[in-house]
């Protein structure tokens, strides 16, 4: 009972002290701003481009409009056709920038630079028109011409239907991997620095005369972990709001694909964070000074770096055998499995195995890390991992 | 009562504690003395479970000390330390809560100690905004915030100015009068002599002297003699006296209780004009020197 009380007190302190710190608030605000701002920027640039003004001297032939339509569609351009009474009037409009290009009979008139896409659109349409005229002058009928110009396409049969959401899933899996990795590293680092802070300020001895080392460790990991989760939820909410506002047309089934991904990210964050944060805590207990952090930071990275690489691979090619195995191995599963099932297919039992393996391995890691922490937290100077582990037993 | 029996601890080849035994009784102040590295801090850490002893027993009121007992103890470690960025009032309340007080009790206790120490207006300041002396006071309040029954203070006088030492001494006496058992280590033997009723002297991990200060001073069978004469560069020589200190015009000696004072006075008078001669039981520092044997 007193243990729960102590853990709760420590967790509350660690959560509030950091949540109230200006550095944390500013960092979170900046990340949200970058996310939202970046999203709007992308939406602006990816949105509809203004129609290209195309001038025509005299009334354009009926066939030209149809050909320009087809050509514009092919090049993914919008255009607006305007009639001018004379060549001079169209040139004046060109100079004023009202139109980008003018067509005078079979001549294309530019003011200065040519936009290659607009050029291609206009040129293609005019060449088509030329060809139709030539074919007509050979005495062929309109239907013959149409037959000649657009032969029936061959029948297509596909053995495997393509996954229309594949791109979205890959993107979500990759983004999820990055967010998961960053969150685990960032809040793991918070745990390391939190432990180090208590050592270097020598407050650890004051605290540990009142609470057991395991309670201090648990409280710290839980408090900082909840802070990380709160930040993830804020970021996810910002991302979802953004998506709903700017209506990214390229993400068709976002609510179907996106929300499970976000839920999965938070769930796997809890598992991955639990596994790695205690390793960060153990690493922090080995040093007494900020300068020595480099020397122990590798401990959690042994697992995190291969996890990240494998998870990145999994987000693109989830079906590789190495991914299938890695997604169910301890230390790797928390990053690789979510990437794999987000990008491809993982059977329910495989996800179950990954969760079970992670829970069991986390328990073992906690036993190990707690012992190192107990051995290291009251040592001064740089302690060796082995000495701290052994020291705790004496 | 805190009872320590046969406490031993080794760090590799280094013996930190070697079969150490002593008591700290309620309402008594025990001075815990010893040269640097004698094992004082290790013994104190053992009381709080911060160091696991190799052998021996620590009990409180005849029960082996457990976590719930330690919540009734207050500790001020040698290496001072608190959260530098945390507000002073919150910090005290936090430690009160960790020691088992309710939230409101902890808040009240924090307010009480801040006003006792004259820091009420700094409750919302961060610790690192306080002066060094005030940080020391908060450190002490941290040890006292939950009204402990046992106070363990490692070098509480170190780094204090004369006024601070006076205030600390008064506070320790006040706490002991309330029935708190106090164990505190110090190198300032004259102060320990003033404040403490009991003393434990430890050397190389072993308790070499232990008991009431007055009784120990009386039991030595020695007297302390101080002679001063008018004249520079005096080199006194008295048979059977051990010189323990000398200045320009005065010297101190330890002598057997049966020594004849008149003979010493007579001899001193032949060497110069004696301006003062005093004698009495030995000082704590004399006992310390004798017990530690160097």
């Amino acid at each position: 009972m007193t243990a729960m009380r102590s853990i709760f007190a420590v967790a509350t302190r660690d959560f509030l002290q950091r949540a109230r710190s200006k550095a944390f608030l500013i960092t979170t605000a900046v990340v949200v701003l970058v996310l939202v701002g970046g999203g709007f920027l992308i939406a602006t640039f990816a949105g509809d481009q203004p129609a290209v003004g195309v001038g025509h001297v005299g009334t354009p032939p009926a066939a030209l409009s149809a050909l320009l339509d087809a050509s514009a569609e092919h090049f993914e351009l919008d255009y607006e056709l305007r009639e001018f009474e004379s060549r001079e009037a169209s040139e004046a409009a060109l100079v004023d920038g009202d139109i980008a290009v003018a067509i005078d009979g079979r001549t294309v008139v530019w003011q200065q630079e040519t936009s290659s896409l607009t050029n291609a659109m206009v040129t293609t349409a005019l060449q088509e028109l030329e060809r139709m005229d030539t074919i007509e002058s050979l005495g062929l009928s309109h239907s013959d011409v149409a037959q000649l110009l657009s032969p029936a396409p061959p029948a297509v049969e596909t053995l495997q239907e393509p996954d229309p959401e594949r791109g979205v899933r890959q993107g979500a899996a990759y983004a999820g991997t990055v967010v998961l990795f960053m969150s685990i590293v960032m809040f793991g680092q918070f745990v390391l620095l939190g432990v180090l802070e208590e050592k270097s300020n020598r407050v650890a001895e004051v605290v540990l005369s009142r609470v057991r080392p395991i309670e201090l460790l648990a409280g710290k990991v839980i408090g900082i972990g909840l802070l990380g989760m709160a930040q993830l939820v804020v970021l996810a909410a910002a991302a979802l709001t953004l998506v709903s506002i700017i209506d990214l047309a390229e993400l068709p089934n976002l609510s179907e694909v996106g929300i499970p991904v976000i839920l999965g990210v938070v769930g796997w964050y809890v598992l991955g964070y639990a596994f790695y944060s205690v390793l960060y805590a153990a690493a922090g207990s080995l040093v007494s000074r900020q300068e020595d952090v480099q020397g122990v930071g590798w401990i959690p990275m042994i697992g995190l770096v291969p996890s990240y690489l494998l998870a990145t691979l999994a987000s693109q090619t989830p079906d590789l055998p190495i991914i299938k195995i890695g997604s169910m191995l301890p230390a790797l599963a928390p990053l690789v499995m979510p990437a794999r099932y987000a990008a491809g297919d993982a059977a329910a039992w495989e996800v179950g195995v990954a969760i079970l393996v992670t829970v069991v391995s986390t328990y073992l890691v906690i036993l190990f890390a707690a012992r190192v922490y107990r051995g290291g937290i009251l040592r001064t100077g740089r302690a060796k991992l082995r000495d701290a582990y052994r020291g705790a037993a004496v | 009562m805190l009872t320590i029996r046969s406490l031993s601890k080794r760090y590799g080849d280094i013996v930190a504690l070697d079969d150490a035994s002593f008591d700290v009784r309620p309402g008594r102040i025990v001075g815990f003395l010893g040269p640097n590295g004698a094992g004082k801090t290790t013994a104190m850490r053992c009381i709080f479970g911060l160091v696991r002893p190799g052998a021996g027993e620590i009990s409180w009121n005849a029960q082996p000390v457990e976590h719930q007992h330690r919540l009734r103890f207050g500790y001020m470690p040698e290496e001072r330390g608190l959260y530098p960025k945390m507000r002073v009032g919150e910090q005290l309340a936090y430690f009160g809560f960790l020691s088992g007080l309710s939230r409101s009790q902890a808040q009240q206790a924090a307010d009480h100690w801040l006003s006792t120490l004259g820091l009420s207006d700094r409750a919302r300041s961060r610790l690192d905004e306080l002066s060094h002396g005030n940080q020391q006071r908060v450190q002490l309040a941290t040890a006292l915030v939950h009204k402990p029954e046992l106070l363990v203070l490692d070098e509480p006088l170190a780094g204090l100015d004369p006024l601070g030492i006076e205030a600390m001494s008064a506070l320790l006496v006040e706490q002991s009068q309330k029935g708190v058992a106090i164990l505190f280590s110090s190198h300032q033997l004259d102060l320990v002599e003033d404040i403490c009723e009991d003393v434990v002297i430890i050397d190389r991990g072993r308790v070499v002297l232990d008991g009431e200060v007055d009784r120990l001073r009386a039991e030595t069978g020695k007297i302390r003699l101080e002679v001063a004469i008018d004249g520079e560069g005096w080199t006194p020589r008295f048979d059977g006296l051990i010189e323990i200190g000398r200045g320009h015009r005065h010297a101190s000696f330890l002598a057997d209780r049966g020594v004849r004072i008149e003979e010493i006075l007579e001899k001193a008078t032949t060497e110069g004009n004696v301006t003062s001669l005093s004698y009495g039981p030995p000082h704590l520092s004399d006992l310390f020197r004798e017990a530690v044997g160097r």
Side-chain angles (χ1 to χ4, degrees), chain A residues 142-160:
Chain A
H142 270 288
S143 60
D144 289 340
V145 173
Q147 179 102 44
L148 198 65
L149 287 182
S150 30
V156 177
E157 285 178 15
T158 320
L159 292 182
Q160 189 179 2

Side-chain angles (χ1 to χ4, degrees), chain A residues 1-32:
Chain A
M1 201 52 216
T2 62
M4 293 310 289
R5 191 176 183 276
S6 304
I7 292 171
F8 172 74
V10 172
T12 310
R13 196 202 81 86
D14 270 302
F15 183 93
L16 288 179
Q17 287 295 314
R18 275 174 191 75
R20 283 191 305 201
S21 87
K22 288 200 188 80
F24 178 76
L25 292 176
I26 290 172
T27 311
T28 307
V30 165
V31 173
V32 170

